[in-house]
Amino acid sequence: MPPVTTVLIANRGEIAVRIMRTCRAMGVRTVAVYSEADADAPHVALADQAIAIGPAAARASYLDVPALLAAAHASGADAVHPGYGFLSENAAFARAVAGAGLTFIGPPPEAIAAMGDKVAARARMERAGLPVVPASGVLAPEPDAFAAAAAPIGYPVVIKAAGGGGGKGMRIVRDAAALPDAIRAAAREATAAFADGRIYLERYLERPRHVEVQVFGDRHGRIVHLGERECSIQRRHQKIVEETPSPAVGSALRAAMTDAAVRAARAVDYVGAGTVEFLLDESGRFYFLEMNTRLQVEHPVTEWTTGLDLVREQILVARGEPLSFAAITPRGHALECRLYSEDPARQFLPATGTVRVLTEPAGPGVRFDGGVARGSVVGVEYDPMLAKISTWGATREEARTRMLAALRETVLLGVVTNRDYLRAVLTHPAFVAGATHTEFLAEHLADWRSRSAPERDLAAIVAALALTSPSGDGAAALGAAPSPFATLGPWRAGSSGA
Amino acid sequence: MSLTVLVDGEPVAVTLTRTGDAIVARVGDAEYRGSIQRHGEAWRLDLGARALAATVVRDRDEVWIALAGEIYRCALATEERGEAGAGAVGSPRVTAPMPGKVLDVLVREGQQVAAGDALVILEAMKMETVASADAAGTVTRVHVAAGTMVEPGQVLVELELA
């Protein structure tokens, strides 16, 4: 059995932190890797050892396989956890890790490869008896080829990357005239995200729900599911709110979907944590979308309702041990919101800056998975997700109201975030009613602007004082003598009582 | 002291006077009287019906305020800040809508463009966005090339409007 006593985490941000927490709880040593941009990042501070692997650009650091393997050897790591994104679904990386005599904490390279090629995976799943959406094969990136393929399928269609998922390289096309621009953008994004510019086309379902099933396999031939998650609230085809159970899935549908998911995993001899994604249409029919052969961003909601630690199970499976649990009985309801550095009022454009203040939410049924801390610089090189907030409740409504309280408590100053947009999603009557689908945000919140601010006048007064004060916090931060006048400025404190 | 503060981009006129420890502030038609205590980032406002705690940080020419569950991003209004080319219709200067890297420049100087034509493709955090002409015209200057890192608001292309 492979030992897994020292794990190198080939990732950054919240997921690196989250993986390290489980490692530490299991008595496993942790090794962080970091780029020049991340020297002060929380995942570096938390690790037992941290190794610089290159410049800020991901290609030269978090995607640099030789640099990662060298760091593993230098640190004495015997296993590598890829997290999500970066190299997590790269079969060549999984092989390189194994080839270097290390344990890859993830599925076998064959399963990654089988599901990584989205076109081949569709065909394979169709043979395994899963329902799939009508689609083309890989096409030459030319309007004529796509127009010819789209004709029998019917518009709207969606152009997708064959080399990877996660919404990267996806473009919805409603008529042939829009094909040239969409093909160019999709191919370019696919190349940038997956180093694989191959694209194809499939029928675009209107207003479906995105429902996925968490599966887990061990090396003893056992493959189980851990229930579904609904992740319909998406912008730019990327999820921002997730929950389990899905408000749309009753017990009969759940049985059918989870059974299909387990069949999908079995068809590729799956081992480890994986997620089988489906689209669920308004009539209750579901279609295989893709399988993500890694830990999913939204795995905490499943952890809430099952009581399991999925990273712990991943490590047990990597060691060759059986899954730790027999049957699972999901309990209650869990929600997750992703906190992004982006401006929802301006087409979700990424925002950069320095985190000046970060107050994390806490309390019963509240979990915060963060990847930044006070002083963290949010640059343009990496994914704009800063943190995840998840909540649990006995009912969906309890989880929802806890989430609203937790979002209110989450204070991140210095970088624009989508926090208030998330609050608007959670309070929208359609969300409260569970009437969610992948067009939800476009349909209900397209014109969202920052709320009418109840204390705007007071904020203006405070801003006027802060901006005209001779002692901005810049002066204080530079370590000027701590004179009370320097810290208080021209406005003297009436009393210093708490 | 009278000044205009941009609160989340909205101009708000504020007049402040101080007498001893007391503050009198006018914001529009409303008047606020009371006091403000500052302890680093932690401020305590006693200006009305209820006392409120605020977290206040300066970041260059901006101030971020967390107050009563809301977050405010404020700056002083100046002529320069007054809506710097943020998508004004028919603007002859096409600016970067986000920070990031220029992936491709699709036009040359002297080229005629129509309203809506894509001019420059930007990428940040693995997301692409297109800067387009918002009116027809002729490209007079191209300020960036593939690989240039840009800040939001930075001029990418200048046009002479038709």
Side-chain angles (χ1 to χ4, degrees), chain B residues 37-95:
Chain B
Q37 296 168 39
R38 301 165 60 165
H39 302 280
E41 292 169 355
W43 291 35
R44 187 168 178 80
L45 321 182
D46 204 346
L47 288 173
R50 56 186 178 138
L52 290 170
T55 306
V56 183
V57 283
R58 270 289 283 276
D59 191 353
R60 284 164 292 184
D61 56 350
E62 290 183 335
V63 61
W64 294 73
I65 302 163
L67 173 64
E70 304 294 337
I71 292 170
Y72 303 87
R73 181 190 192 186
C74 307
L76 291 179
T78 65
E79 303 80 68
E80 203 186 355
R81 278 197 150 264
E83 206 51 25
V89 174
S91 168
R93 304 195 313 170
V94 178
T95 58

Coordinates of all heavy atoms in Angstrom, one line a residue, chain B residues 37-95:
Chain B
Q37 N -15.9 58.5 16.9 CA -14.7 58.1 17.6 C -13.9 57.2 16.6 O -14.5 56.3 16.0 CB -14.9 57.4 18.9 CG -15.6 58.2 19.9 CD -16.1 57.3 21.1 OE1 -15.4 56.4 21.5 NE2 -17.2 57.6 21.6
R38 N -12.6 57.4 16.5 CA -11.8 56.6 15.6 C -10.7 55.8 16.4 O -10.0 56.4 17.2 CB -11.1 57.4 14.6 CG -12.1 58.2 13.8 CD -11.5 59.4 13.0 NE -10.5 58.9 12.0 CZ -10.0 59.6 11.0 NH1 -10.4 60.8 10.8 NH2 -9.1 59.1 10.2
H39 N -10.7 54.5 16.3 CA -9.6 53.7 16.9 C -9.0 52.9 15.7 O -9.5 51.8 15.5 CB -10.1 52.8 18.0 CG -10.8 53.6 19.1 ND1 -10.1 54.3 20.0 CD2 -12.1 53.9 19.3 CE1 -10.9 54.9 20.9 NE2 -12.2 54.7 20.4
G40 N -8.1 53.5 15.0 CA -7.6 52.8 13.8 C -8.7 52.6 12.8 O -9.3 53.5 12.4
E41 N -8.9 51.3 12.4 CA -9.9 51.0 11.4 C -11.3 51.0 12.0 O -12.3 50.9 11.3 CB -9.6 49.6 10.8 CG -8.4 49.6 10.0 CD -8.0 48.2 9.6 OE1 -8.6 47.2 10.0 OE2 -7.0 48.1 8.8
A42 N -11.4 50.9 13.4 CA -12.7 50.7 14.0 C -13.2 52.1 14.4 O -12.6 52.8 15.2 CB -12.5 49.9 15.3
W43 N -14.3 52.5 13.8 CA -14.9 53.8 14.0 C -16.3 53.5 14.7 O -16.9 52.5 14.5 CB -15.2 54.5 12.7 CG -14.0 55.0 12.0 CD1 -12.8 54.4 11.9 CD2 -13.9 56.2 11.2 NE1 -12.0 55.2 11.1 CE2 -12.6 56.3 10.7 CE3 -14.8 57.3 10.9 CZ2 -12.2 57.3 9.9 CZ3 -14.4 58.3 10.1 CH2 -13.1 58.3 9.6
R44 N -16.6 54.5 15.6 CA -17.9 54.4 16.2 C -18.7 55.7 15.9 O -18.2 56.8 16.2 CB -17.7 54.2 17.7 CG -19.0 54.0 18.4 CD -18.8 53.5 19.9 NE -20.1 53.3 20.5 CZ -20.8 52.3 20.4 NH1 -20.4 51.3 19.6 NH2 -22.0 52.2 21.0
L45 N -19.8 55.5 15.3 CA -20.6 56.7 14.9 C -21.8 56.9 15.8 O -22.5 55.9 16.0 CB -21.1 56.5 13.4 CG -20.2 55.8 12.4 CD1 -21.0 55.8 11.1 CD2 -18.9 56.6 12.3
D46 N -21.9 58.1 16.3 CA -23.1 58.3 17.2 C -23.7 59.6 16.6 O -23.5 60.7 17.1 CB -22.6 58.6 18.6 CG -23.7 58.3 19.6 OD1 -24.8 58.2 19.2 OD2 -23.4 58.1 20.8
L47 N -24.4 59.4 15.5 CA -24.9 60.6 14.8 C -26.4 60.5 14.6 O -26.9 61.3 13.7 CB -24.2 60.5 13.4 CG -22.8 60.9 13.3 CD1 -22.2 60.7 11.9 CD2 -22.5 62.4 13.7
G48 N -27.1 59.7 15.3 CA -28.5 59.7 15.0 C -29.2 58.8 16.0 O -28.9 58.8 17.2
A49 N -30.2 58.1 15.5 CA -31.0 57.3 16.4 C -30.2 56.2 17.1 O -30.5 55.9 18.3 CB -32.2 56.7 15.6
R50 N -29.3 55.6 16.4 CA -28.5 54.5 17.0 C -27.0 54.7 16.8 O -26.6 55.2 15.7 CB -29.0 53.2 16.5 CG -28.9 53.1 15.0 CD -29.5 51.8 14.4 NE -29.4 51.9 13.0 CZ -29.1 50.8 12.2 NH1 -28.9 49.7 12.8 NH2 -29.1 50.9 10.9
A51 N -26.2 54.2 17.7 CA -24.8 54.2 17.5 C -24.4 53.1 16.7 O -25.0 52.0 16.8 CB -24.1 54.1 18.9
L52 N -23.5 53.3 15.7 CA -23.1 52.2 14.8 C -21.6 52.1 14.8 O -20.9 53.0 14.9 CB -23.6 52.6 13.4 CG -25.1 52.5 13.1 CD1 -25.3 53.1 11.7 CD2 -25.6 51.1 13.1
A53 N -21.2 50.8 14.6 CA -19.7 50.5 14.5 C -19.4 50.5 13.0 O -20.2 49.9 12.2 CB -19.4 49.2 15.1
A54 N -18.3 51.0 12.6 CA -17.9 50.9 11.2 C -16.5 50.5 11.1 O -15.7 50.7 12.0 CB -18.1 52.3 10.5
T55 N -16.1 49.8 10.0 CA -14.7 49.5 9.7 C -14.3 50.3 8.5 O -15.0 50.3 7.5 CB -14.5 48.0 9.4 OG1 -15.1 47.2 10.5 CG2 -13.1 47.6 9.2
V56 N -13.2 51.0 8.7 CA -12.9 52.0 7.7 C -11.4 51.9 7.3 O -10.6 51.9 8.1 CB -13.1 53.5 8.2 CG1 -12.8 54.5 7.2 CG2 -14.5 53.6 8.7
V57 N -11.2 51.7 6.0 CA -9.8 51.6 5.5 C -9.6 52.5 4.3 O -10.4 52.5 3.4 CB -9.3 50.1 5.2 CG1 -9.0 49.4 6.5 CG2 -10.3 49.4 4.3
R58 N -8.4 53.1 4.3 CA -8.0 53.9 3.2 C -7.2 53.0 2.2 O -6.4 52.2 2.7 CB -7.0 55.0 3.6 CG -7.7 56.3 4.0 CD -8.2 57.1 2.8 NE -7.2 57.8 2.0 CZ -6.7 59.0 2.3 NH1 -7.1 59.6 3.4 NH2 -5.8 59.5 1.6
D59 N -7.4 53.1 0.9 CA -6.6 52.4 -0.1 C -6.3 53.5 -1.1 O -7.2 53.7 -2.0 CB -7.4 51.2 -0.6 CG -6.5 50.3 -1.4 OD1 -5.3 50.7 -1.7 OD2 -6.9 49.2 -1.8
R60 N -5.2 54.1 -1.1 CA -4.8 55.2 -1.9 C -5.9 56.3 -1.9 O -6.2 56.7 -0.9 CB -4.5 54.7 -3.4 CG -3.2 54.0 -3.4 CD -3.0 53.1 -4.7 NE -3.9 52.0 -4.6 CZ -3.9 51.0 -5.5 NH1 -3.1 51.1 -6.6 NH2 -4.7 50.0 -5.4
D61 N -6.5 56.6 -3.1 CA -7.5 57.7 -3.1 C -8.9 57.2 -2.8 O -9.8 57.9 -3.0 CB -7.4 58.5 -4.4 CG -7.6 57.6 -5.6 OD1 -7.6 56.3 -5.4 OD2 -7.7 58.1 -6.7
E62 N -9.0 56.0 -2.3 CA -10.4 55.5 -2.0 C -10.4 55.2 -0.5 O -9.4 55.0 0.2 CB -10.6 54.2 -2.7 CG -10.8 54.3 -4.2 CD -11.1 53.0 -4.9 OE1 -10.8 51.9 -4.4 OE2 -11.7 53.1 -6.0
V63 N -11.7 55.1 0.0 CA -11.9 54.6 1.3 C -13.0 53.5 1.2 O -14.0 53.7 0.5 CB -12.2 55.7 2.3 CG1 -13.5 56.5 1.9 CG2 -12.3 55.2 3.7
W64 N -12.8 52.4 2.0 CA -13.8 51.3 2.0 C -14.4 51.3 3.4 O -13.7 51.4 4.4 CB -13.1 50.0 1.8 CG -12.6 49.8 0.4 CD1 -11.4 50.4 -0.1 CD2 -13.1 49.0 -0.7 NE1 -11.3 50.0 -1.5 CE2 -12.3 49.1 -1.8 CE3 -14.2 48.2 -0.8 CZ2 -12.5 48.5 -3.0 CZ3 -14.4 47.5 -2.0 CH2 -13.6 47.6 -3.1
I65 N -15.7 51.2 3.4 CA -16.4 51.3 4.7 C -17.4 50.1 4.8 O -18.2 49.9 3.9 CB -17.2 52.6 4.8 CG1 -16.3 53.8 4.6 CG2 -18.0 52.7 6.1 CD1 -17.0 55.1 4.2
A66 N -17.2 49.4 5.9 CA -18.2 48.4 6.3 C -19.1 49.0 7.4 O -18.6 49.3 8.4 CB -17.6 47.1 6.7
L67 N -20.4 49.1 7.1 CA -21.3 49.8 8.0 C -22.7 49.1 8.0 O -23.3 49.1 6.9 CB -21.4 51.3 7.6 CG -22.3 52.2 8.3 CD1 -22.0 52.3 9.8 CD2 -22.4 53.5 7.6
A68 N -23.1 48.7 9.1 CA -24.5 48.1 9.2 C -24.8 47.0 8.2 O -25.8 47.0 7.6 CB -25.5 49.2 9.2
G69 N -23.8 46.2 8.0 CA -24.0 45.1 7.0 C -23.8 45.4 5.6 O -23.9 44.5 4.7
E70 N -23.5 46.6 5.3 CA -23.2 47.0 3.9 C -21.8 47.4 3.7 O -21.1 47.9 4.7 CB -24.2 48.2 3.5 CG -25.6 47.9 3.7 CD -26.2 46.8 2.8 OE1 -25.6 46.5 1.7 OE2 -27.2 46.2 3.2
I71 N -21.3 47.3 2.5 CA -20.0 47.8 2.1 C -20.0 48.9 1.2 O -20.8 48.9 0.2 CB -19.2 46.6 1.6 CG1 -18.9 45.5 2.6 CG2 -17.8 47.1 1.0 CD1 -18.4 44.2 2.2
Y72 N -19.3 50.0 1.5 CA -19.3 51.2 0.6 C -17.9 51.4 0.1 O -17.0 51.4 0.9 CB -19.8 52.4 1.4 CG -21.2 52.2 2.0 CD1 -21.4 51.6 3.2 CD2 -22.4 52.6 1.3 CE1 -22.7 51.4 3.8 CE2 -23.6 52.4 1.8 CZ -23.8 51.8 3.1 OH -25.0 51.7 3.6
R73 N -17.8 51.8 -1.1 CA -16.5 52.1 -1.7 C -16.6 53.6 -2.1 O -17.4 54.0 -2.9 CB -16.2 51.3 -2.9 CG -14.9 51.5 -3.6 CD -14.9 50.7 -4.9 NE -13.6 50.7 -5.5 CZ -13.4 50.2 -6.7 NH1 -14.4 49.7 -7.4 NH2 -12.2 50.2 -7.2
C74 N -15.8 54.4 -1.5 CA -16.0 55.9 -1.7 C -14.7 56.6 -2.1 O -13.6 56.1 -1.8 CB -16.4 56.5 -0.3 SG -17.8 55.8 0.4
A75 N -14.9 57.7 -2.8 CA -13.7 58.5 -3.2 C -14.2 59.9 -3.3 O -15.4 60.2 -3.3 CB -13.2 58.1 -4.6
L76 N -13.3 60.9 -3.3 CA -13.7 62.3 -3.5 C -14.0 62.5 -4.9 O -13.2 62.0 -5.8 CB -12.5 63.2 -3.0 CG -12.3 63.2 -1.5 CD1 -11.1 64.2 -1.2 CD2 -13.5 63.7 -0.7
A77 N -15.0 63.2 -5.2 CA -15.3 63.5 -6.6 C -14.4 64.7 -7.1 O -14.3 65.7 -6.4 CB -16.8 64.0 -6.7
T78 N -13.8 64.5 -8.2 CA -13.0 65.5 -8.8 C -13.4 65.6 -10.3 O -14.0 64.6 -10.7 CB -11.5 65.3 -8.7 OG1 -11.2 64.1 -9.5 CG2 -11.1 65.0 -7.3
E79 N -13.0 66.6 -11.0 CA -13.4 66.7 -12.4 C -12.8 65.5 -13.1 O -13.4 64.9 -14.0 CB -12.9 68.0 -13.0 CG -13.3 69.3 -12.4 CD -12.5 69.6 -11.1 OE1 -11.3 69.9 -11.3 OE2 -13.0 69.5 -10.0
E80 N -11.6 65.1 -12.7 CA -10.9 64.1 -13.4 C -11.6 62.7 -13.2 O -11.7 61.9 -14.1 CB -9.5 63.9 -12.8 CG -8.5 63.3 -13.7 CD -7.1 63.1 -12.9 OE1 -7.0 63.6 -11.8 OE2 -6.3 62.5 -13.5
R81 N -12.1 62.5 -12.0 CA -12.8 61.2 -11.7 C -14.2 61.2 -12.3 O -14.7 60.1 -12.4 CB -13.0 61.1 -10.2 CG -11.7 60.6 -9.5 CD -12.1 60.1 -8.1 NE -11.1 59.0 -7.7 CZ -11.4 57.8 -7.9 NH1 -12.5 57.3 -8.4 NH2 -10.5 56.9 -7.5
G82 N -14.7 62.3 -12.7 CA -16.1 62.4 -13.2 C -16.3 61.5 -14.4 O -16.2 61.9 -15.5
E83 N -16.6 60.2 -14.2 CA -17.0 59.3 -15.2 C -16.0 59.2 -16.3 O -16.2 59.7 -17.4 CB -18.4 59.7 -15.7 CG -19.2 58.5 -16.3 CD -19.3 57.3 -15.4 OE1 -19.2 57.5 -14.2 OE2 -19.5 56.2 -15.9
A84 N -14.8 58.7 -16.0 CA -13.7 58.7 -16.9 C -13.9 57.7 -18.1 O -13.5 56.6 -18.0 CB -12.4 58.4 -16.2
G85 N -14.5 58.2 -19.1 CA -14.7 57.4 -20.3 C -15.3 56.0 -20.1 O -15.2 55.1 -20.9
A86 N -16.1 55.9 -19.1 CA -16.7 54.6 -18.8 C -17.9 54.3 -19.7 O -19.0 54.3 -19.3 CB -17.1 54.5 -17.3
G87 N -17.6 54.1 -21.0 CA -18.6 53.7 -21.9 C -19.6 54.8 -22.3 O -20.7 54.5 -22.7
A88 N -19.1 56.0 -22.3 CA -20.0 57.1 -22.8 C -20.2 56.9 -24.3 O -19.3 56.5 -25.0 CB -19.3 58.5 -22.6
V89 N -21.4 57.1 -24.7 CA -21.8 56.7 -26.1 C -21.0 57.6 -27.0 O -20.9 58.8 -26.8 CB -23.3 56.9 -26.3 CG1 -23.6 56.7 -27.8 CG2 -24.0 55.8 -25.5
G90 N -20.4 57.0 -28.0 CA -19.7 57.8 -29.0 C -18.4 58.3 -28.6 O -17.9 59.3 -29.1
S91 N -17.8 57.6 -27.6 CA -16.5 58.1 -27.1 C -15.4 57.8 -28.1 O -15.4 56.7 -28.7 CB -16.2 57.4 -25.8 OG -14.8 57.6 -25.5
P92 N -14.6 58.8 -28.4 CA -13.5 58.6 -29.3 C -12.3 57.8 -28.7 O -11.4 57.4 -29.5 CB -13.0 60.0 -29.7 CG -13.4 60.8 -28.5 CD -14.6 60.2 -27.9
R93 N -12.4 57.5 -27.4 CA -11.3 56.7 -26.8 C -11.9 55.4 -26.3 O -12.8 55.5 -25.5 CB -10.7 57.5 -25.7 CG -10.1 58.9 -26.1 CD -9.2 59.5 -25.2 NE -9.7 59.5 -23.8 CZ -9.0 59.8 -22.7 NH1 -7.7 60.2 -22.9 NH2 -9.5 59.8 -21.5
V94 N -11.3 54.4 -26.7 CA -11.8 53.0 -26.3 C -10.9 52.6 -25.1 O -9.7 52.5 -25.3 CB -11.8 52.0 -27.4 CG1 -12.3 50.7 -26.9 CG2 -12.7 52.5 -28.5
T95 N -11.5 52.3 -24.0 CA -10.7 52.0 -22.8 C -10.9 50.6 -22.3 O -11.8 50.0 -22.7 CB -11.0 53.0 -21.6 OG1 -12.4 52.8 -21.4 CG2 -10.7 54.4 -22.0

